[in-house]
Amino acid sequence: MSKQKVLLLGATGETGGDILEGLLEDGSFEVACLVQPSSAQKPAVKKLETRNLKIVVGDLSGDVNDLATAITGYDTIISSISAPHQLAQLSLVDAAAKAGTVKRFVPCGFMTVCPPGGVMHLRDDKEVVYQRIWCHHLPYTIVDVGYWHQLSWFRVPSGRFDYAVLLERNEVYAGGDAKTLLTDKRDIGRFVARIIKDERTLNQKVFTYSDFISQNEIARMIEQKTGEKLELTHISEQDLLTTRANARAACEPEPRNMMVRLVRSQAEYNASKYIRRDNTPAMGKYLGYLDARELYPDFEPISFERFVDELVEGKGERPYEEMYAALKDMQGGEKAEGE
Ligand SMILES: NC(=O)c1ccc[n+]([C@@H]2O[C@H](COP(=O)([O-])OP(=O)(O)OC[C@H]3O[C@@H](n4cnc5c(N)ncnc54)[C@H](OP(=O)(O)O)[C@@H]3O)[C@@H](O)[C@H]2O)c1
């Protein structure tokens, strides 16, 4: 039987990279990677080529007919484009509709469960893309994954986990007892591989999770496994709402400024997860999602506990390693200049 032909946008990124690994591990797909012309010579793309992956160069901001020609022949298109660039997918959706060969379009979801309509600007950007898919009557599957394990743990006072830290805050929000859906990054691609082979998920939304756990449970687990007393900053519901309001106000004069958007996204994620309690299986079902754990009861996720064990063993990995190094360099430079 011929393999399902998948075209993946974002394979050099965090989520896209995990999706790529999951698809390759599964073995039932012929995977090609869609990259923008300005990235074609990047070392990360060259690295994909050394793995014998086909590279398709296509410009999301160019002529839609050219893009349609480039993506013709693929059964499934998966997009995992960086958060600020969601609307760039509109031309990819148009091109997929023009190509006429796409049996399933998986737009860039991969975030927490939450309703559209003003809760999170990131969700609302994604919804614009979904609406374009529905407008074309394109077959689709939307996959959301909750939040990552890799962004949901706390540092310990000894600093022994710092090798894997991205966000250096140790903040607990609104009392810390809201349970949220978390997926280990490494499970994302394994879930996606199952989802795109499954007729039941066609024209559906699916949420995945490796664990469903609160910040207080995470803190207790880390204290118990390390024997260290965590130093946590407790942020009240009111303070979180104020932070969110300030972040939204800061976005108004410059809505496409990356840093301002990032701060707003963080505040909106936190309010949605910890105050509104959107990111739960019950909310997912209310919003019409299928539950990937019910669809695939034999799936063995990486539990949060296993993730913490790996951190303890020194086997954790920092996401966005390059971005983190660049930020550290910048901070180092600023410090040196200030000295
Ligand atoms: N659930 C969570 O906890 C969580 C955490 C982080 C992210 N996310 C979600 O995951 C999604 C992917 O984010 P990420 O942070 O994983 O991505 P990322 O690491 O920033 O990577 C983005 C990828 O998109 C490509 N790209 C960007 N603009 C493009 C364009 N115009 N045309 C073609 N390719 C383009 C990049 O390649 P080039 O740089 O070469 O263009 C890169 O391969 C986001 O939508 C975000 O909402 C979820």
Side-chain angles (χ1 to χ4, degrees), residues 9-16 35-36 39 42 60 80-83 85-86 88 108-112 122 126 145-148 151 269 320:
L9 180 148
T12 58
E14 288 291 333
T15 308
V35 303
Q36 53 184 337
S39 298
K42 281 186 179 174
L60 269 53
S80 176
I81 196 164
S82 26
H85 300 115
Q86 298 305 301
C108 185
F110 308 114
M111 65 175 293
T112 49
L122 180 56
K126 290 175 192 281
V145 299
Y147 216 59
W148 299 344
L151 296 177
Y269 262 126
Y320 304 104

PDB file of all heavy atoms in Angstrom, residues 9-16 35-36 39 42 60 80-83 85-86 88 108-112 122 126 145-148 151 269 320, ligand 1:
ATOM      1  N   LEU A   9       4.779  21.946   7.318  1.00  0.00           N
ATOM      2  CA  LEU A   9       5.367  23.295   7.419  1.00  0.00           C
ATOM      3  C   LEU A   9       5.787  23.519   8.874  1.00  0.00           C
ATOM      4  O   LEU A   9       4.999  23.260   9.788  1.00  0.00           O
ATOM      5  CB  LEU A   9       4.330  24.352   7.005  1.00  0.00           C
ATOM      6  CG  LEU A   9       4.788  25.812   7.060  1.00  0.00           C
ATOM      7  CD1 LEU A   9       4.083  26.611   5.970  1.00  0.00           C
ATOM      8  CD2 LEU A   9       4.500  26.457   8.396  1.00  0.00           C
ATOM      9  N   GLY A  10       7.025  23.955   9.067  1.00  0.00           N
ATOM     10  CA  GLY A  10       7.493  24.229  10.435  1.00  0.00           C
ATOM     11  C   GLY A  10       8.402  23.154  10.993  1.00  0.00           C
ATOM     12  O   GLY A  10       8.664  23.127  12.197  1.00  0.00           O
ATOM     13  N   ALA A  11       8.908  22.264  10.109  1.00  0.00           N
ATOM     14  CA  ALA A  11       9.704  21.119  10.588  1.00  0.00           C
ATOM     15  C   ALA A  11      10.981  21.546  11.306  1.00  0.00           C
ATOM     16  O   ALA A  11      11.551  20.781  12.076  1.00  0.00           O
ATOM     17  CB  ALA A  11      10.046  20.195   9.426  1.00  0.00           C
ATOM     18  N   THR A  12      11.444  22.773  11.065  1.00  0.00           N
ATOM     19  CA  THR A  12      12.660  23.221  11.763  1.00  0.00           C
ATOM     20  C   THR A  12      12.334  23.877  13.099  1.00  0.00           C
ATOM     21  O   THR A  12      13.237  24.297  13.825  1.00  0.00           O
ATOM     22  CB  THR A  12      13.452  24.236  10.909  1.00  0.00           C
ATOM     23  OG1 THR A  12      12.590  25.356  10.621  1.00  0.00           O
ATOM     24  CG2 THR A  12      13.926  23.625   9.604  1.00  0.00           C
ATOM     25  N   GLY A  13      11.044  23.974  13.437  1.00  0.00           N
ATOM     26  CA  GLY A  13      10.641  24.602  14.693  1.00  0.00           C
ATOM     27  C   GLY A  13      10.458  23.575  15.802  1.00  0.00           C
ATOM     28  O   GLY A  13      10.703  22.375  15.612  1.00  0.00           O
ATOM     29  N   GLU A  14      10.023  24.053  16.951  1.00  0.00           N
ATOM     30  CA  GLU A  14       9.862  23.183  18.124  1.00  0.00           C
ATOM     31  C   GLU A  14       8.737  22.166  17.899  1.00  0.00           C
ATOM     32  O   GLU A  14       8.970  20.962  17.895  1.00  0.00           O
ATOM     33  CB  GLU A  14       9.559  24.031  19.360  1.00  0.00           C
ATOM     34  CG  GLU A  14      10.750  24.828  19.860  1.00  0.00           C
ATOM     35  CD  GLU A  14      11.826  23.948  20.455  1.00  0.00           C
ATOM     36  OE1 GLU A  14      11.522  22.852  20.945  1.00  0.00           O
ATOM     37  OE2 GLU A  14      13.005  24.362  20.423  1.00  0.00           O
ATOM     38  N   THR A  15       7.511  22.652  17.727  1.00  0.00           N
ATOM     39  CA  THR A  15       6.376  21.731  17.565  1.00  0.00           C
ATOM     40  C   THR A  15       6.519  20.928  16.278  1.00  0.00           C
ATOM     41  O   THR A  15       6.320  19.709  16.263  1.00  0.00           O
ATOM     42  CB  THR A  15       5.055  22.541  17.529  1.00  0.00           C
ATOM     43  OG1 THR A  15       5.017  23.399  18.668  1.00  0.00           O
ATOM     44  CG2 THR A  15       3.849  21.634  17.528  1.00  0.00           C
ATOM     45  N   GLY A  16       6.877  21.635  15.184  1.00  0.00           N
ATOM     46  CA  GLY A  16       7.019  20.958  13.893  1.00  0.00           C
ATOM     47  C   GLY A  16       8.094  19.879  13.951  1.00  0.00           C
ATOM     48  O   GLY A  16       7.937  18.800  13.369  1.00  0.00           O
ATOM     49  N   VAL A  35       9.259  24.754   3.186  1.00  0.00           N
ATOM     50  CA  VAL A  35      10.030  25.847   3.798  1.00  0.00           C
ATOM     51  C   VAL A  35       9.911  27.098   2.942  1.00  0.00           C
ATOM     52  O   VAL A  35       9.708  27.027   1.727  1.00  0.00           O
ATOM     53  CB  VAL A  35      11.530  25.493   3.984  1.00  0.00           C
ATOM     54  CG1 VAL A  35      11.695  24.236   4.809  1.00  0.00           C
ATOM     55  CG2 VAL A  35      12.246  25.353   2.656  1.00  0.00           C
ATOM     56  N   GLN A  36      10.036  28.256   3.591  1.00  0.00           N
ATOM     57  CA  GLN A  36       9.931  29.490   2.816  1.00  0.00           C
ATOM     58  C   GLN A  36      11.269  29.745   2.109  1.00  0.00           C
ATOM     59  O   GLN A  36      12.330  29.312   2.600  1.00  0.00           O
ATOM     60  CB  GLN A  36       9.505  30.651   3.695  1.00  0.00           C
ATOM     61  CG  GLN A  36      10.314  30.889   4.945  1.00  0.00           C
ATOM     62  CD  GLN A  36       9.716  32.016   5.780  1.00  0.00           C
ATOM     63  OE1 GLN A  36       9.001  32.870   5.269  1.00  0.00           O
ATOM     64  NE2 GLN A  36      10.020  32.031   7.065  1.00  0.00           N
ATOM     65  N   SER A  39      14.405  30.679   3.884  1.00  0.00           N
ATOM     66  CA  SER A  39      14.975  29.721   4.843  1.00  0.00           C
ATOM     67  C   SER A  39      15.660  28.538   4.164  1.00  0.00           C
ATOM     68  O   SER A  39      16.290  27.724   4.847  1.00  0.00           O
ATOM     69  CB  SER A  39      13.864  29.171   5.758  1.00  0.00           C
ATOM     70  OG  SER A  39      13.284  30.204   6.494  1.00  0.00           O
ATOM     71  N   LYS A  42      19.135  27.659   5.136  1.00  0.00           N
ATOM     72  CA  LYS A  42      19.496  27.642   6.565  1.00  0.00           C
ATOM     73  C   LYS A  42      20.064  26.269   6.958  1.00  0.00           C
ATOM     74  O   LYS A  42      19.595  25.239   6.453  1.00  0.00           O
ATOM     75  CB  LYS A  42      18.252  27.900   7.422  1.00  0.00           C
ATOM     76  CG  LYS A  42      17.833  29.357   7.501  1.00  0.00           C
ATOM     77  CD  LYS A  42      16.682  29.488   8.498  1.00  0.00           C
ATOM     78  CE  LYS A  42      16.223  30.919   8.655  1.00  0.00           C
ATOM     79  NZ  LYS A  42      15.031  31.029   9.513  1.00  0.00           N
ATOM     80  N   LEU A  60       4.626  31.644   1.268  1.00  0.00           N
ATOM     81  CA  LEU A  60       3.267  31.931   1.759  1.00  0.00           C
ATOM     82  C   LEU A  60       2.850  33.371   1.455  1.00  0.00           C
ATOM     83  O   LEU A  60       1.651  33.677   1.500  1.00  0.00           O
ATOM     84  CB  LEU A  60       3.178  31.656   3.266  1.00  0.00           C
ATOM     85  CG  LEU A  60       2.760  30.239   3.683  1.00  0.00           C
ATOM     86  CD1 LEU A  60       3.611  29.169   3.053  1.00  0.00           C
ATOM     87  CD2 LEU A  60       2.740  30.092   5.194  1.00  0.00           C
ATOM     88  N   SER A  80       2.736  23.992  11.317  1.00  0.00           N
ATOM     89  CA  SER A  80       3.141  24.297  12.678  1.00  0.00           C
ATOM     90  C   SER A  80       3.980  25.567  12.643  1.00  0.00           C
ATOM     91  O   SER A  80       5.173  25.563  12.923  1.00  0.00           O
ATOM     92  CB  SER A  80       3.929  23.126  13.249  1.00  0.00           C
ATOM     93  OG  SER A  80       4.380  23.478  14.518  1.00  0.00           O
ATOM     94  N   ILE A  81       3.325  26.626  12.272  1.00  0.00           N
ATOM     95  CA  ILE A  81       4.005  27.903  12.047  1.00  0.00           C
ATOM     96  C   ILE A  81       4.104  28.659  13.377  1.00  0.00           C
ATOM     97  O   ILE A  81       3.245  28.496  14.255  1.00  0.00           O
ATOM     98  CB  ILE A  81       3.248  28.720  10.978  1.00  0.00           C
ATOM     99  CG1 ILE A  81       4.084  29.861  10.422  1.00  0.00           C
ATOM    100  CG2 ILE A  81       1.900  29.215  11.483  1.00  0.00           C
ATOM    101  CD1 ILE A  81       3.530  30.443   9.114  1.00  0.00           C
ATOM    102  N   SER A  82       5.141  29.466  13.508  1.00  0.00           N
ATOM    103  CA  SER A  82       5.363  30.194  14.764  1.00  0.00           C
ATOM    104  C   SER A  82       4.137  31.026  15.157  1.00  0.00           C
ATOM    105  O   SER A  82       3.422  31.546  14.292  1.00  0.00           O
ATOM    106  CB  SER A  82       6.596  31.089  14.643  1.00  0.00           C
ATOM    107  OG  SER A  82       6.821  31.431  13.298  1.00  0.00           O
ATOM    108  N   ALA A  83       3.936  31.155  16.454  1.00  0.00           N
ATOM    109  CA  ALA A  83       2.707  31.763  16.981  1.00  0.00           C
ATOM    110  C   ALA A  83       2.361  33.116  16.342  1.00  0.00           C
ATOM    111  O   ALA A  83       1.207  33.331  15.967  1.00  0.00           O
ATOM    112  CB  ALA A  83       2.806  31.877  18.504  1.00  0.00           C
ATOM    113  N   HIS A  85       2.776  34.221  13.470  1.00  0.00           N
ATOM    114  CA  HIS A  85       2.582  34.226  12.015  1.00  0.00           C
ATOM    115  C   HIS A  85       1.373  33.409  11.566  1.00  0.00           C
ATOM    116  O   HIS A  85       1.327  32.929  10.424  1.00  0.00           O
ATOM    117  CB  HIS A  85       3.856  33.710  11.324  1.00  0.00           C
ATOM    118  CG  HIS A  85       5.043  34.561  11.627  1.00  0.00           C
ATOM    119  ND1 HIS A  85       6.130  34.116  12.335  1.00  0.00           N
ATOM    120  CD2 HIS A  85       5.282  35.871  11.364  1.00  0.00           C
ATOM    121  CE1 HIS A  85       6.997  35.104  12.483  1.00  0.00           C
ATOM    122  NE2 HIS A  85       6.498  36.184  11.907  1.00  0.00           N
ATOM    123  N   GLN A  86       0.392  33.252  12.439  1.00  0.00           N
ATOM    124  CA  GLN A  86      -0.762  32.400  12.104  1.00  0.00           C
ATOM    125  C   GLN A  86      -1.446  32.812  10.800  1.00  0.00           C
ATOM    126  O   GLN A  86      -1.818  31.975   9.989  1.00  0.00           O
ATOM    127  CB  GLN A  86      -1.783  32.428  13.246  1.00  0.00           C
ATOM    128  CG  GLN A  86      -1.250  31.892  14.572  1.00  0.00           C
ATOM    129  CD  GLN A  86      -0.692  30.496  14.443  1.00  0.00           C
ATOM    130  OE1 GLN A  86      -1.395  29.580  14.047  1.00  0.00           O
ATOM    131  NE2 GLN A  86       0.588  30.326  14.756  1.00  0.00           N
ATOM    132  N   ALA A  88      -0.361  34.075   8.175  1.00  0.00           N
ATOM    133  CA  ALA A  88       0.360  33.720   6.946  1.00  0.00           C
ATOM    134  C   ALA A  88      -0.190  32.419   6.360  1.00  0.00           C
ATOM    135  O   ALA A  88      -0.016  32.133   5.173  1.00  0.00           O
ATOM    136  CB  ALA A  88       1.852  33.591   7.233  1.00  0.00           C
ATOM    137  N   CYS A 108      -2.373  25.127  12.071  1.00  0.00           N
ATOM    138  CA  CYS A 108      -1.577  25.240  13.284  1.00  0.00           C
ATOM    139  C   CYS A 108      -2.475  25.535  14.491  1.00  0.00           C
ATOM    140  O   CYS A 108      -2.831  26.678  14.745  1.00  0.00           O
ATOM    141  CB  CYS A 108      -0.525  26.330  13.120  1.00  0.00           C
ATOM    142  SG  CYS A 108       0.555  26.399  14.533  1.00  0.00           S
ATOM    143  N   GLY A 109      -2.837  24.463  15.178  1.00  0.00           N
ATOM    144  CA  GLY A 109      -3.529  24.575  16.471  1.00  0.00           C
ATOM    145  C   GLY A 109      -2.460  24.460  17.542  1.00  0.00           C
ATOM    146  O   GLY A 109      -1.738  25.389  17.845  1.00  0.00           O
ATOM    147  N   PHE A 110      -2.369  23.240  18.137  1.00  0.00           N
ATOM    148  CA  PHE A 110      -1.274  22.885  19.044  1.00  0.00           C
ATOM    149  C   PHE A 110      -1.160  23.807  20.241  1.00  0.00           C
ATOM    150  O   PHE A 110      -0.070  24.030  20.771  1.00  0.00           O
ATOM    151  CB  PHE A 110       0.068  22.806  18.267  1.00  0.00           C
ATOM    152  CG  PHE A 110      -0.018  21.932  17.051  1.00  0.00           C
ATOM    153  CD1 PHE A 110       0.099  22.444  15.763  1.00  0.00           C
ATOM    154  CD2 PHE A 110      -0.274  20.577  17.184  1.00  0.00           C
ATOM    155  CE1 PHE A 110      -0.023  21.641  14.647  1.00  0.00           C
ATOM    156  CE2 PHE A 110      -0.392  19.759  16.072  1.00  0.00           C
ATOM    157  CZ  PHE A 110      -0.261  20.297  14.808  1.00  0.00           C
ATOM    158  N   MET A 111      -2.293  24.374  20.657  1.00  0.00           N
ATOM    159  CA  MET A 111      -2.263  25.206  21.869  1.00  0.00           C
ATOM    160  C   MET A 111      -3.232  24.605  22.901  1.00  0.00           C
ATOM    161  O   MET A 111      -3.639  23.455  22.799  1.00  0.00           O
ATOM    162  CB  MET A 111      -2.610  26.665  21.543  1.00  0.00           C
ATOM    163  CG  MET A 111      -4.011  26.898  21.042  1.00  0.00           C
ATOM    164  SD  MET A 111      -4.416  28.658  20.798  1.00  0.00           S
ATOM    165  CE  MET A 111      -4.395  29.316  22.465  1.00  0.00           C
ATOM    166  N   THR A 112      -3.543  25.408  23.914  1.00  0.00           N
ATOM    167  CA  THR A 112      -4.452  24.937  24.954  1.00  0.00           C
ATOM    168  C   THR A 112      -5.902  24.958  24.453  1.00  0.00           C
ATOM    169  O   THR A 112      -6.219  25.637  23.479  1.00  0.00           O
ATOM    170  CB  THR A 112      -4.352  25.850  26.187  1.00  0.00           C
ATOM    171  OG1 THR A 112      -4.456  27.201  25.743  1.00  0.00           O
ATOM    172  CG2 THR A 112      -3.050  25.666  26.931  1.00  0.00           C
ATOM    173  N   LEU A 122      -4.156  34.734  20.475  1.00  0.00           N
ATOM    174  CA  LEU A 122      -3.557  33.667  19.670  1.00  0.00           C
ATOM    175  C   LEU A 122      -4.642  32.721  19.141  1.00  0.00           C
ATOM    176  O   LEU A 122      -4.655  32.344  17.967  1.00  0.00           O
ATOM    177  CB  LEU A 122      -2.532  32.900  20.522  1.00  0.00           C
ATOM    178  CG  LEU A 122      -1.799  31.747  19.852  1.00  0.00           C
ATOM    179  CD1 LEU A 122      -1.086  32.192  18.582  1.00  0.00           C
ATOM    180  CD2 LEU A 122      -0.795  31.109  20.820  1.00  0.00           C
ATOM    181  N   LYS A 126      -5.856  31.989  15.179  1.00  0.00           N
ATOM    182  CA  LYS A 126      -5.993  30.627  14.623  1.00  0.00           C
ATOM    183  C   LYS A 126      -7.397  30.421  14.063  1.00  0.00           C
ATOM    184  O   LYS A 126      -7.588  29.789  13.022  1.00  0.00           O
ATOM    185  CB  LYS A 126      -5.662  29.580  15.696  1.00  0.00           C
ATOM    186  CG  LYS A 126      -4.173  29.543  16.075  1.00  0.00           C
ATOM    187  CD  LYS A 126      -3.906  28.580  17.211  1.00  0.00           C
ATOM    188  CE  LYS A 126      -2.515  28.712  17.811  1.00  0.00           C
ATOM    189  NZ  LYS A 126      -1.441  28.100  17.076  1.00  0.00           N
ATOM    190  N   VAL A 145      -3.160  20.655  22.084  1.00  0.00           N
ATOM    191  CA  VAL A 145      -2.339  19.755  22.906  1.00  0.00           C
ATOM    192  C   VAL A 145      -2.237  20.193  24.366  1.00  0.00           C
ATOM    193  O   VAL A 145      -1.428  19.649  25.114  1.00  0.00           O
ATOM    194  CB  VAL A 145      -0.909  19.635  22.312  1.00  0.00           C
ATOM    195  CG1 VAL A 145      -0.948  19.066  20.907  1.00  0.00           C
ATOM    196  CG2 VAL A 145      -0.177  20.985  22.322  1.00  0.00           C
ATOM    197  N   GLY A 146      -3.038  21.186  24.760  1.00  0.00           N
ATOM    198  CA  GLY A 146      -2.822  21.728  26.100  1.00  0.00           C
ATOM    199  C   GLY A 146      -1.510  22.497  26.117  1.00  0.00           C
ATOM    200  O   GLY A 146      -1.083  23.033  25.095  1.00  0.00           O
ATOM    201  N   TYR A 147      -0.876  22.534  27.279  1.00  0.00           N
ATOM    202  CA  TYR A 147       0.417  23.218  27.396  1.00  0.00           C
ATOM    203  C   TYR A 147       1.497  22.141  27.467  1.00  0.00           C
ATOM    204  O   TYR A 147       1.213  20.986  27.759  1.00  0.00           O
ATOM    205  CB  TYR A 147       0.413  24.078  28.667  1.00  0.00           C
ATOM    206  CG  TYR A 147       1.165  25.385  28.530  1.00  0.00           C
ATOM    207  CD1 TYR A 147       0.811  26.321  27.583  1.00  0.00           C
ATOM    208  CD2 TYR A 147       2.234  25.672  29.384  1.00  0.00           C
ATOM    209  CE1 TYR A 147       1.505  27.521  27.461  1.00  0.00           C
ATOM    210  CE2 TYR A 147       2.923  26.881  29.272  1.00  0.00           C
ATOM    211  CZ  TYR A 147       2.549  27.793  28.305  1.00  0.00           C
ATOM    212  OH  TYR A 147       3.237  28.982  28.193  1.00  0.00           O
ATOM    213  N   TRP A 148       2.750  22.516  27.198  1.00  0.00           N
ATOM    214  CA  TRP A 148       3.821  21.512  27.213  1.00  0.00           C
ATOM    215  C   TRP A 148       4.282  21.221  28.640  1.00  0.00           C
ATOM    216  O   TRP A 148       4.424  22.139  29.453  1.00  0.00           O
ATOM    217  CB  TRP A 148       5.054  22.008  26.469  1.00  0.00           C
ATOM    218  CG  TRP A 148       4.902  22.332  25.028  1.00  0.00           C
ATOM    219  CD1 TRP A 148       3.882  21.976  24.182  1.00  0.00           C
ATOM    220  CD2 TRP A 148       5.825  23.084  24.237  1.00  0.00           C
ATOM    221  NE1 TRP A 148       4.116  22.463  22.934  1.00  0.00           N
ATOM    222  CE2 TRP A 148       5.301  23.150  22.938  1.00  0.00           C
ATOM    223  CE3 TRP A 148       7.045  23.710  24.503  1.00  0.00           C
ATOM    224  CZ2 TRP A 148       5.953  23.820  21.900  1.00  0.00           C
ATOM    225  CZ3 TRP A 148       7.694  24.373  23.487  1.00  0.00           C
ATOM    226  CH2 TRP A 148       7.153  24.417  22.193  1.00  0.00           C
ATOM    227  N   LEU A 151       7.245  23.405  29.600  1.00  0.00           N
ATOM    228  CA  LEU A 151       7.095  24.806  30.030  1.00  0.00           C
ATOM    229  C   LEU A 151       6.320  24.900  31.344  1.00  0.00           C
ATOM    230  O   LEU A 151       5.871  25.971  31.723  1.00  0.00           O
ATOM    231  CB  LEU A 151       6.341  25.604  28.940  1.00  0.00           C
ATOM    232  CG  LEU A 151       7.024  25.743  27.584  1.00  0.00           C
ATOM    233  CD1 LEU A 151       6.121  26.482  26.595  1.00  0.00           C
ATOM    234  CD2 LEU A 151       8.355  26.494  27.723  1.00  0.00           C
ATOM    235  N   TYR A 269      -2.668  33.098  28.366  1.00  0.00           N
ATOM    236  CA  TYR A 269      -2.574  31.657  28.661  1.00  0.00           C
ATOM    237  C   TYR A 269      -2.849  31.427  30.154  1.00  0.00           C
ATOM    238  O   TYR A 269      -3.644  30.559  30.531  1.00  0.00           O
ATOM    239  CB  TYR A 269      -1.168  31.135  28.360  1.00  0.00           C
ATOM    240  CG  TYR A 269      -0.970  30.454  27.018  1.00  0.00           C
ATOM    241  CD1 TYR A 269       0.035  30.866  26.149  1.00  0.00           C
ATOM    242  CD2 TYR A 269      -1.740  29.356  26.633  1.00  0.00           C
ATOM    243  CE1 TYR A 269       0.255  30.233  24.921  1.00  0.00           C
ATOM    244  CE2 TYR A 269      -1.520  28.728  25.419  1.00  0.00           C
ATOM    245  CZ  TYR A 269      -0.528  29.165  24.567  1.00  0.00           C
ATOM    246  OH  TYR A 269      -0.318  28.531  23.367  1.00  0.00           O
ATOM    247  N   TYR A 320      13.581  25.778  22.504  1.00  0.00           N
ATOM    248  CA  TYR A 320      14.043  27.044  21.918  1.00  0.00           C
ATOM    249  C   TYR A 320      15.481  27.345  22.336  1.00  0.00           C
ATOM    250  O   TYR A 320      15.804  28.460  22.741  1.00  0.00           O
ATOM    251  CB  TYR A 320      13.133  28.213  22.337  1.00  0.00           C
ATOM    252  CG  TYR A 320      11.670  28.025  22.000  1.00  0.00           C
ATOM    253  CD1 TYR A 320      10.743  27.700  22.988  1.00  0.00           C
ATOM    254  CD2 TYR A 320      11.207  28.187  20.703  1.00  0.00           C
ATOM    255  CE1 TYR A 320       9.396  27.531  22.694  1.00  0.00           C
ATOM    256  CE2 TYR A 320       9.855  28.019  20.395  1.00  0.00           C
ATOM    257  CZ  TYR A 320       8.963  27.697  21.392  1.00  0.00           C
ATOM    258  OH  TYR A 320       7.647  27.535  21.097  1.00  0.00           O
TER     259      TYR A 320
HETATM  260  N1  LIG B   1       0.979  24.264  23.739  1.00  0.00           N
HETATM  261  C1  LIG B   1       2.096  24.858  24.058  1.00  0.00           C
HETATM  262  O1  LIG B   1       2.566  24.792  25.208  1.00  0.00           O
HETATM  263  C2  LIG B   1       2.831  25.606  22.981  1.00  0.00           C
HETATM  264  C3  LIG B   1       4.119  26.105  23.203  1.00  0.00           C
HETATM  265  C4  LIG B   1       4.764  26.756  22.152  1.00  0.00           C
HETATM  266  C5  LIG B   1       4.143  26.885  20.909  1.00  0.00           C
HETATM  267  N2  LIG B   1       2.873  26.393  20.747  1.00  0.00           N
HETATM  268  C6  LIG B   1       2.165  26.515  19.457  1.00  0.00           C
HETATM  269  O2  LIG B   1       2.878  25.766  18.488  1.00  0.00           O
HETATM  270  C7  LIG B   1       2.842  26.442  17.249  1.00  0.00           C
HETATM  271  C8  LIG B   1       4.233  26.380  16.631  1.00  0.00           C
HETATM  272  O3  LIG B   1       5.072  27.181  17.438  1.00  0.00           O
HETATM  273  P1  LIG B   1       6.578  26.815  17.747  1.00  0.00           P
HETATM  274  O4  LIG B   1       6.991  27.755  18.821  1.00  0.00           O
HETATM  275  O5  LIG B   1       6.727  25.363  17.940  1.00  0.00           O
HETATM  276  O6  LIG B   1       7.247  27.254  16.385  1.00  0.00           O
HETATM  277  P2  LIG B   1       8.760  27.705  16.150  1.00  0.00           P
HETATM  278  O7  LIG B   1       9.666  26.873  16.985  1.00  0.00           O
HETATM  279  O8  LIG B   1       8.845  29.184  16.271  1.00  0.00           O
HETATM  280  O9  LIG B   1       8.937  27.297  14.633  1.00  0.00           O
HETATM  281  C9  LIG B   1       8.145  27.864  13.632  1.00  0.00           C
HETATM  282  C10 LIG B   1       8.370  27.182  12.313  1.00  0.00           C
HETATM  283  O10 LIG B   1       7.583  27.867  11.320  1.00  0.00           O
HETATM  284  C11 LIG B   1       8.413  28.250  10.231  1.00  0.00           C
HETATM  285  N3  LIG B   1       7.893  29.491   9.655  1.00  0.00           N
HETATM  286  C12 LIG B   1       7.692  30.666  10.281  1.00  0.00           C
HETATM  287  N4  LIG B   1       7.166  31.568   9.425  1.00  0.00           N
HETATM  288  C13 LIG B   1       7.031  30.936   8.254  1.00  0.00           C
HETATM  289  C14 LIG B   1       6.541  31.321   6.971  1.00  0.00           C
HETATM  290  N5  LIG B   1       6.079  32.548   6.745  1.00  0.00           N
HETATM  291  N6  LIG B   1       6.534  30.407   5.982  1.00  0.00           N
HETATM  292  C15 LIG B   1       6.996  29.166   6.205  1.00  0.00           C
HETATM  293  N7  LIG B   1       7.472  28.729   7.396  1.00  0.00           N
HETATM  294  C16 LIG B   1       7.486  29.613   8.393  1.00  0.00           C
HETATM  295  C17 LIG B   1       9.792  28.395  10.846  1.00  0.00           C
HETATM  296  O11 LIG B   1      10.792  28.248   9.875  1.00  0.00           O
HETATM  297  P3  LIG B   1      11.745  29.488   9.471  1.00  0.00           P
HETATM  298  O12 LIG B   1      12.161  30.128  10.770  1.00  0.00           O
HETATM  299  O13 LIG B   1      12.873  28.916   8.716  1.00  0.00           O
HETATM  300  O14 LIG B   1      10.870  30.315   8.641  1.00  0.00           O
HETATM  301  C18 LIG B   1       9.816  27.235  11.823  1.00  0.00           C
HETATM  302  O15 LIG B   1      10.119  26.029  11.165  1.00  0.00           O
HETATM  303  C19 LIG B   1       2.379  27.872  17.517  1.00  0.00           C
HETATM  304  O16 LIG B   1       1.220  28.111  16.816  1.00  0.00           O
HETATM  305  C20 LIG B   1       2.093  27.950  18.980  1.00  0.00           C
HETATM  306  O17 LIG B   1       0.800  28.447  19.204  1.00  0.00           O
HETATM  307  C21 LIG B   1       2.233  25.769  21.744  1.00  0.00           C
END
